[in-house]
Amino acid sequence: MTSSIESAILAEKIGMMAFSKEFKESSAKMGYATLRQIVSEDPAILQKKDGFNYIWLGELLEFLTENNLLHLLQSTQGNNGI
């Protein structure tokens, strides 16, 4: 269960957040407007999207770690495949 702070972060538009221009552009290209959409995506689908790369993933992981949200990438089966 996410806290109200987590929910607010996940619902905020990526374009309004402190991400790099490249991260914002890649997220938009992949069809993601919020972090909630990203962390809800199946990792196998995420990796195949046009615009996905490991620099983008690294920035996402850094942001999630800094905000104590990295656990949201953990799949329910314990291995997200990324």
Side-chain angles (χ1 to χ4, degrees):
M1 178 174 213
T2 58
S3 71
S4 59
I5 293 170
E6 287 178 354
S7 292
I9 292 171
L10 294 175
E12 189 172 351
K13 298 292 184 190
I14 292 170
M16 304 301 293
M17 300 175 81
F19 286 107
S20 70
K21 177 182 174 186
E22 293 80 11
F23 183 91
K24 292 175 184 180
E25 289 174 352
S26 291
S27 295
K29 185 175 186 179
M30 290 187 280
Y32 302 123
T34 66
L35 291 177
R36 182 178 318 282
Q37 294 171 315
I38 296 171
V39 300
S40 297
E41 187 70 88
D42 181 291
I45 293 171
L46 178 66
Q47 287 178 289
K48 292 178 182 174
K49 291 217 174 213
D50 187 25
F52 175 88
N53 63 56
Y54 287 96
I55 294 170
W56 176 89
L57 180 61
E59 188 168 347
L60 174 65
L61 294 174
E62 182 178 345
F63 178 87
L64 294 175
T65 300
E66 289 172 357
N67 289 279
N68 297 313
L69 299 173
L70 188 58
H71 65 280
L72 296 175
L73 285 183
Q74 184 70 34
S75 77
T76 56
Q77 297 172 340
N79 182 356
N80 65 13
I82 293 183

